[in-house]
Amino acid sequence: MENMISFNIPPYIGTEIEYIEQAIANRKICGDGQFTKKCNSWLQGRFNAQKVLLTTSGTTALDMAMLLCDLKEGDEVILPSYTFSSTATSAVLAGAKLVFVDIRPDTMNIDETKIEAAITDKTKVIVAMHYAGVACEMDTIMDIAHQHNIMVVEDAAQGVMSTYKGKYLGTIGDFGCYSFHETKNYSMGEGGALVINNEKYNERAEILREKGTNRSKFLRGQVDKYTWVDFGDSYLPSELNAAYLWAQLENADLINDNRLAVWSEYRKAFEPIANTGRIELQFIPDGCVHNAHMFYLKLKDIKDRSMFIDYMKQNGVLTVFHYVPLHSAPAGLKFGRFNGEDVFTTQESERLVRLPLYYNMDNNDLRKVIDLSLNYFNNQNKER
Ligand SMILES: *Cc1c(COP(=O)(O)O)cnc(C)c1O
């Protein structure tokens, strides 16, 4: 179809090209140049974070976090099953067994009241994935972690700019992981960042990120030559990508406000139909400020959702469902187990559909998505 409304369009401010050209003119297109430094320090300053390092993706930020947690063979990581594969595969890379816990139906985040039952003497890490940029119940999760001497990794891939009780997501656990993939609020094509909240991990993180060398120390003049000191990998993004991100971070509030405005329009339009019980809307708990990463609806069941997605597509709008629970996926079966009962994970995941939402979304497109959706709900109402 000609005028299909996309589900996502990567954010573009306009100054990206200029900054990429600057990086080229600087004769520095590999990692850790001027643009990477600007991005790191902007993120540190804005989020009041101890240390932030850009990475090649949200996935590699998670890989770094899990490797820094120093897991031993047989150690266990607690995580929701309703999440992206990266959350789980980083724990597998670090040698852990996965223990999946059910989600809360209202936020689709890990159910903090079901975490304690999943803890064994092998549990080393809890992963808090902040779905749709809405925070997990972090006070409870941090209390449990402290009581049992467990580390907390925040998968804040979707939560850049969101807060929980005034704290930016990613800065609450031991480590936070952001994604700057093109589907996220701020982008560099592919990229991410690791937030380190305890300075005792700074040096090891730099070594891990720089192929196992102490090159970062060398560049700061703290050692007179650099050498291979430990296990490592390469997690530095190119300056070309960092330059693209810098244009977006400079306009972080503009992008955030713009997305929130679209989100609020959706919310206002769907509230009446939600009040009839036909659909359910996202719940934002007290103390959580979100970043409009996503606007989703919950329909009656998987059949209703498929019909909705088809109807929208036939009328030129792309809407999508989200994660198939990891514990039921081939790799989930291989690397993990579900602790307790799957009350909400599967059921709620089958009801959820995401509507188009991106920076600078055309107002006519937004109206079209709303009108078509309401049309569907009003007509299907009678038959079901
Ligand atoms: C996007 C995302 C990731 C991975 O980020 P990439 O930058 O694509 O590697 C991880 N976890 C969650 C929850 C995500 O949404």
Side-chain angles (χ1 to χ4, degrees):
M1 194 179 289
E2 250 180 74
N3 285 321
M4 207 72 180
I5 297 177
S6 310
F7 171 68
N8 179 61
I9 296 176
Y12 181 68
I13 287 290
T15 42
E16 287 87 345
I17 283 289
E18 190 187 317
Y19 291 153
I20 290 170
E21 279 174 354
Q22 265 182 40
I24 296 167
N26 290 346
R27 303 211 184 319
K28 174 86 180 166
I29 57 171
C30 70
D32 279 349
Q34 170 199 323
F35 286 105
T36 302
K37 284 183 188 138
K38 276 178 192 275
C39 292
N40 288 344
S41 60
W42 187 93
L43 292 163
Q44 268 167 217
R46 178 63 188 256
F47 301 156
N48 198 18
Q50 191 270 138
K51 192 169 185 69
V52 181
L53 296 170
L54 283 196
T55 58
T56 47
S57 67
T59 305
T60 53
L62 283 161
D63 288 349
M64 283 187 75
M66 286 297 174
L67 291 169
L68 289 166
C69 287
D70 212 11
L71 302 166
K72 305 273 175 301
E73 181 82 39
D75 283 348
E76 293 176 351
V77 169
I78 292 176
L79 74 167
S81 167
Y82 185 70
T83 183
F84 193 52
S85 60
S86 306
T87 322
T89 206
S90 60
V92 173
L93 176 75
K97 285 213 168 72
L98 308 175
V99 178
F100 296 110
V101 168
D102 207 10
I103 53 167
R104 297 165 44 144
D106 58 354
T107 58
M108 304 297 280
N109 283 331
I110 192 167
D111 186 337
E112 68 280 0
T113 67
K114 293 180 181 172
I115 291 175
E116 240 170 343
I119 294 175
T120 70
D121 55 7
K122 297 266 184 207
T123 309
K124 289 289 151 59
V125 179
I126 299 168
V127 188
M129 193 280 267
H130 306 294
Y131 188 66
V134 177
C136 296
E137 194 40 61
M138 290 309 288
D139 277 352
T140 309
I141 292 174
M142 295 311 291
D143 281 350
I144 293 169
H146 289 147
Q147 268 170 43
H148 296 270
N149 200 20
I150 294 170
M151 295 182 75
V152 174
V153 172
E154 292 179 74
D155 181 343
Q158 303 173 10
V160 180
M161 293 283 275
S162 297
T163 57
Y164 171 81
K165 300 189 180 172
K167 288 185 193 149
Y168 281 95
L169 301 192
T171 67
I172 304 165
D174 294 277
F175 298 104
C177 305
Y178 297 141
S179 168
F180 300 118
H181 186 259
E182 73 165 34
T183 52
K184 300 304 199 291
N185 292 25
Y186 305 95
S187 185
M188 54 196 281
E190 298 277 358
L194 175 70
V195 186
I196 305 166
N197 297 319
N198 181 337
E199 66 178 354
K200 81 174 191 198
Y201 294 102
N202 289 358
E203 192 177 331
R204 182 68 190 99
E206 283 179 350
I207 292 166
L208 183 59
R209 184 166 167 274
E210 268 281 18
K211 302 98 185 165
T213 72
N214 58 355
R215 188 161 184 274
S216 300
K217 255 187 157 173
F218 171 72
L219 292 175
R220 285 194 298 266
Q222 291 166 329
V223 289
D224 57 10
K225 58 181 192 306
Y226 80 85
T227 183
W228 181 34
V229 292
D230 207 337
F231 162 76
D233 208 327
S234 180
Y235 299 120
L236 283 71
S238 152
E239 274 287 285
L240 301 175
N241 298 69
Y244 193 101
L245 181 64
W246 178 242
Q248 316 236 325
L249 294 183
E250 270 193 327
N251 291 284
D253 289 302
L254 177 77
I255 293 173
N256 200 42
D257 292 349
N258 181 277
R259 294 186 71 108
L260 281 165
V262 175
W263 192 95
S264 303
E265 283 299 312
Y266 273 139
R267 182 83 189 193
K268 206 168 66 193
F270 291 117
E271 226 140 51
I273 194 93
N275 289 338
T276 69
R278 174 64 181 86
I279 57 170
E280 247 179 79
L281 300 178
Q282 198 176 345
F283 172 68
I284 315 292
D286 283 349
C288 296
V289 177
H290 72 102
N291 59 357
H293 174 63
M294 200 188 293
F295 191 91
Y296 67 75
L297 301 170
K298 284 208 224 155
L299 309 194
K300 290 195 192 315
D301 50 29
I302 197 163
K303 184 164 168 252
D304 189 22
R305 182 179 71 178
S306 302
M307 286 172 65
F308 176 80
I309 292 174
D310 285 349
Y311 173 83
M312 296 298 279
K313 195 169 172 190
Q314 277 159 21
N315 289 286
V317 177
L318 289 173
T319 61
V320 297
F321 57 83
H322 217 180
Y323 311 125
V324 174
L326 296 183
H327 74 280
S328 60
L333 293 168
K334 186 168 158 193
F335 296 118
R337 64 179 171 85
F338 197 97
N339 193 78
E341 204 189 328
D342 168 9
V343 182
F344 296 115
T345 300
T346 301
Q347 179 192 299
E348 297 302 301
S349 71
E350 292 181 342
R351 298 175 55 206
L352 188 144
V353 63
R354 304 163 67 194
L355 303 186
L357 200 178
Y358 41 86
Y359 171 65
N360 238 350
M361 187 171 172
D362 183 87
N363 209 43
N364 293 324
D365 288 351
L366 176 62
R367 288 316 321 169
K368 183 174 172 185
V369 179
I370 290 171
D371 292 345
L372 278 172
S373 305
L374 291 176
N375 207 16
Y376 173 86
F377 297 131
N378 287 322
N379 293 325
Q380 290 299 318
N381 229 2
K382 287 144 205 151
E383 291 160 38
R384 288 173 68 90

